[in-house]
Amino acid sequence: MSSLRTLNRDSLLRVLALCSCRDVLALACTCQELNKQLQDDDLWRLLAEAKWGSCVPKLASVAPGGWAAWTRHRLAASSSSLLSPLDLVQEHYQECPFQHMVACLLCSRTTGGLVVRQAIRCFLERFSTPTAILTATDSSMLEVLNPLGLQATRLAAVQGVARDYIASDWQQPSDFRHCGAFVTESWMIFCCGHRSLAGIGDKNLQRYLRWHLHGSVDEVKRQRQPKRKAEAPAEPGTLRSGRCRSGVAGGNVGTNTGGAQQRRVTRASAAVGAEPTTKRGRGC
């Protein structure tokens, strides 16, 4: 920590520009001198300019004393250098939320293959900040975007995000015109440390979270329920309710047709109010 005390402001800004918001605040907690410097709101303004370029003071509308909150919101709250077996494109841009959003925009509606990855990497190496995008010519960017297809559409989306990232008071990427649920969900997971499957609709992001939470990209298998104990077979002549069939005494099967016929005759006689009779010949 003694080296931080001896750094001049320009060198300190270069170091802080490479750190996530969590790392900056962690350093402030362990270094009294750095903590003192971070109380200066002007330092946060200079940090924002060092990280995102000269367009920051031109486009950003920040009230005095608000640069700390403005800058911290645009820094990554969490990042990880560990890559999953899925090797998603946006996993490689966790430390810079702006580049992460641009990578999500550029990889949408593509195969995500080697050519796509090379084009995205080349674009973000040449145009790594909002200022670099807003000051570059359209032709220079279209040339790099050519392998991705839909070059004009992607260019308009990237330029819109670059401008709104600085100029608007956004809370999440879906506030941008060209960003949808996928960019927001990816930003939440990789830049903000979101670790819940709740509210995540993209299948690849769901698989990434399952890997992060359970160590597997496949769905977690449900625990098998214990098999029910097999019931003893019912005795012959027994109904499912356990009652015996009509005409069966106990568990013995019989054909007491006489008793059953007698009961049917008795019921029919009761319906007409007469004693049971037997059939007679014609004319009776």
Side-chain angles (χ1 to χ4, degrees):
M1 296 304 168
S2 58
S3 59
L4 289 174
R5 300 189 184 97
T6 59
L7 287 177
N8 57 43
R9 174 156 286 196
D10 290 340
S11 300
L12 177 61
L13 289 172
R14 289 178 178 271
V15 173
L16 296 180
L18 299 175
C19 298
S20 67
C21 182
R22 182 181 60 182
D23 294 336
V24 171
L25 298 179
L27 288 172
C29 293
T30 56
C31 178
Q32 185 177 4
E33 179 63 27
L34 180 58
N35 185 40
K36 181 180 178 181
Q37 292 195 47
L38 288 176
Q39 301 302 316
D40 182 8
D41 199 62
D42 191 54
L43 177 65
W44 288 99
R45 179 186 63 80
L46 294 174
L47 176 59
E49 188 172 352
K51 194 165 183 66
W52 299 300
S54 58
C55 285
V56 170
K58 299 176 182 178
L59 297 177
S61 300
V62 183
W67 279 104
W70 188 94
T71 305
R72 283 154 67 174
H73 175 64
R74 287 160 176 78
L75 292 174
S78 176
S79 62
S80 174
S81 58
L82 184 63
L83 299 178
S84 74
L86 297 170
D87 193 24
L88 301 177
V89 172
Q90 63 267 38
E91 288 187 61
H92 298 267
Y93 305 98
Q94 302 184 47
E95 297 179 354
C96 181
F98 172 73
Q99 292 185 8
H100 185 88
M101 295 179 195
V102 172
C104 289
L105 287 173
L106 297 183
C107 74
S108 64
R109 290 183 286 179
T110 67
T111 61
L114 180 60
V115 174
V116 172
R117 291 170 179 263
Q118 290 176 343
I120 294 175
R121 183 174 66 252
C122 181
F123 184 88
L124 289 174
E125 286 176 353
R126 292 182 59 181
F127 314 104
S128 59
T129 66
T131 297
I133 292 175
L134 294 175
T135 57
T137 62
D138 290 358
S139 59
S140 63
M141 290 186 285
L142 287 171
E143 181 182 358
V144 182
L145 295 176
N146 184 61
L148 303 178
L150 301 172
Q151 300 94 313
T153 301
R154 297 185 192 279
L155 177 61
V158 168
Q159 289 174 330
V161 170
R163 181 176 56 256
D164 293 341
Y165 194 86
I166 297 175
S168 68
D169 187 21
W170 59 277
Q171 297 302 313
Q172 56 185 8
S174 59
D175 294 338
F176 300 152
R177 177 184 175 186
H178 299 279
C179 294
F182 168 68
V183 182
T184 298
E185 292 173 4
S186 186
W187 170 76
M188 289 170 55
I189 293 171
F190 293 105
C191 300
C192 300
H194 181 84
R195 292 296 180 262
S196 173
L197 285 165
I200 303 301
D202 184 78
K203 293 183 179 180
N204 281 332
L205 294 178
Q206 291 176 358
R207 296 178 69 197
Y208 173 84
L209 285 175
R210 281 194 288 270
W211 168 81
H212 197 281
L213 296 172
H214 307 291
S216 173
V217 298
D218 298 321
E219 292 186 10
V220 180
K221 296 182 179 179
R222 297 181 179 178
Q223 294 182 352
R224 294 183 177 180
Q225 298 294 332
K227 295 183 178 180
R228 297 178 61 183
K229 186 177 181 181
E231 298 179 355
E235 295 183 2
T238 304
L239 300 175
R240 290 184 179 180
S241 61
R243 297 172 58 187
C244 293
R245 297 180 182 275
S246 299
V248 179
N252 298 326
V253 181
T255 56
N256 192 4
T257 56
Q261 184 178 4
Q262 182 65 30
R263 282 195 297 274
R264 287 196 294 271
V265 173
T266 303
R267 290 173 183 171
S269 301
V272 298
E275 294 182 358
T277 59
T278 58
K279 288 187 177 181
R280 298 182 180 180
R282 289 189 180 183
C284 295

